[in-house]
Amino acid sequence: MKYTKIIVYRILLLLFFFTGQAGSSISQSKEECGSVPGQEYLGYLERTLTEREALAKKYIRDRQMGRVTSASIPVQFHVSRTTEGNDAAVSEADLVKVLDNVNASFSSMGISFMSCGQTRFIDDTFLHTNFEKDLHDPLLDQYDDKFVLNIYFFEDILDVNGYAKFPQDQVDRIVINNERALTSTVEHEIGHYFSLLHTYSTSRGAELVSGANCRVAGDFICDTPPDPGDRSDFSACIYVGGARDAAGDLYKPDGFNYMGRGQATCRNRFSLLQRERIMASLMMDRYYLVDCSQTAPEVNSCISTITSFPHKESFEDYTGGTEWRQNFDDDFGWRLIHRTSSGSTGPGQALDGDYFMYTEASDYMNATGILSSPCFDLQNQGTASISFGYHMYGTDIGKLELQITKDQGTTWATLWIQQGNKGNQWNTAVVTFDDYVSNIVQLRFVGKTSSGSKGDMAIDDIVVSSEELITGIEQDNRGNTLSAYPNPARQTITIQYSDPGQDHATLYVTSTDGRIVYKERLADKTGLNQTQLDLTLWSPGIYLVRITGQSKDHTTLFVHQP
């Protein structure tokens, strides 16, 4: 297939030459950078500025207090050669230097880069010396590894010196001309990969020198002086131009900034706020980057296999990543965040901890996003269940499904489904899947947005259990024997029950990891009775209430919100 595509591209290129169109195209000067963010992504970036700043500051505090360690980014190098396998665009020794350079540049952020082993070679003379971004970039899809940063070097890129995929693209790739391998072009493109814009960007309007519009124009960063964007105004990395902004103020750009117009050979720094933006993008946009051993080359393959239970996922480990992974064959990616940026939709805070996963409806309408679990080995289990919190608030809420497979993704069955507005609150679901025990299974959440922007859906506090119903059970409110209110609850919860119908009944309240947090022996009472619990010292999350005795059990669930 790849060679068929290449032949088609070559034929098109020859046609351009014969019609005289290619000559004018190739004679144009090469662009320094071909990274272009879409307007939808710029809008999303602008809406989430406050959130990104808060995430970065929390990450910095956690590092200072030793609560998190450095994040390590897995890198797979791809290098072009001739069809005969000769004349590699970049030598192995220079690839080592590339890693050394970027590690030095990103070390202050607690971010390092590591090679995932052997270099992958693309042996094609035509692509080796005639690569064009717009024409040939689609060919690279077949070479990309999943869940790692793919860095490509070609002997000659005809139209640009380098480019990167922004988070909006759901592609982990940067491409660089070989002569720029040991220059700041690498850091520049990695900056784009982690959501940074050019300091001379005017996609959302030109930034004023005064900084009056720095959060809504230019690069959306207020400690990077705006750049008029003319490379000829720089002597190496020193600005010598005399351009003025719309207010008449003289530009004073930082030519040494990695994202500016200074020469690639002398740029050597990110600003403080740029570094924070990179950290936030790692947590929000590229959270799935973990390490080389957990890459998943197949779309539906598992990142790992869980053999001990309960398995809890609350999306809190933003430097070690999560074993739940975004699919690459859907329309958009689930995002990690601790409150959504859109108004009148989505949760204002997590159900458990600080973070949750959600679908951003504003950017992707009538689209599908899939979040897949690791595999769960149930071969020696007698029962299986999953509990989770879900939030579906907004006038344009679509559909949220939980699906399961036992044949490595060949077929998927729906275990649970909800659609439409469920109110501005976290709700709970507990689903058993005993029919799948004795198998290795995988789960996935499928979010389907509708045609409106008020349709953010979220999930949090996932627990997969192989225990009996004490840690995962469907609600049993037959005859209203047992209930809990208000639900969700914040400061207190009232557990109401009528005649337990047996002697020696006991009331249990357990967390989703099976820990008993409250226990009370119930006397043989008649009529309506209630117990009120103070939740001020309890952790937010889902709790199971159970009255058990000699002959039968009664159960219900409640959510404790912060």
Side-chain angles (χ1 to χ4, degrees), residues 137-197:
D137 181 74
L139 290 177
L140 302 185
D141 292 347
Q142 63 195 301
Y143 300 111
D144 280 347
D145 264 3
K146 305 301 182 186
F147 313 128
V148 305
L149 171 55
N150 296 275
I151 301 181
Y152 290 81
F153 291 101
F154 286 91
E155 180 70 20
D156 193 7
I157 304 177
L158 301 181
D159 46 355
V160 297
N161 283 315
Y163 66 91
K165 295 294 186 177
F166 282 91
Q168 74 190 56
D169 301 309
Q170 296 191 72
V171 177
D172 300 294
R173 181 189 307 158
I174 69 173
V175 182
I176 297 173
N177 205 73
N178 75 326
E179 63 184 13
R180 296 301 185 93
L182 299 181
T183 72
S184 65
T185 297
V186 181
E187 284 88 347
H188 178 98
E189 300 304 342
I190 292 176
H192 286 315
Y193 175 76
F194 286 115
S195 82
L196 292 186
L197 307 179

Side-chain angles (χ1 to χ4, degrees), residues 102-138:
V102 297
N103 279 328
S105 301
F106 285 79
S107 62
S108 64
M109 300 171 237
I111 297 174
S112 62
F113 297 79
M114 61 179 177
S115 172
C116 285
Q118 291 188 337
T119 301
R120 308 273 180 82
F121 292 102
I122 301 174
D123 293 337
D124 187 293
T125 300
F126 181 80
L127 292 179
H128 182 55
T129 56
N130 295 278
F131 189 90
E132 289 189 69
K133 172 182 176 284
D134 292 337
L135 194 59
H136 298 127
D137 181 74

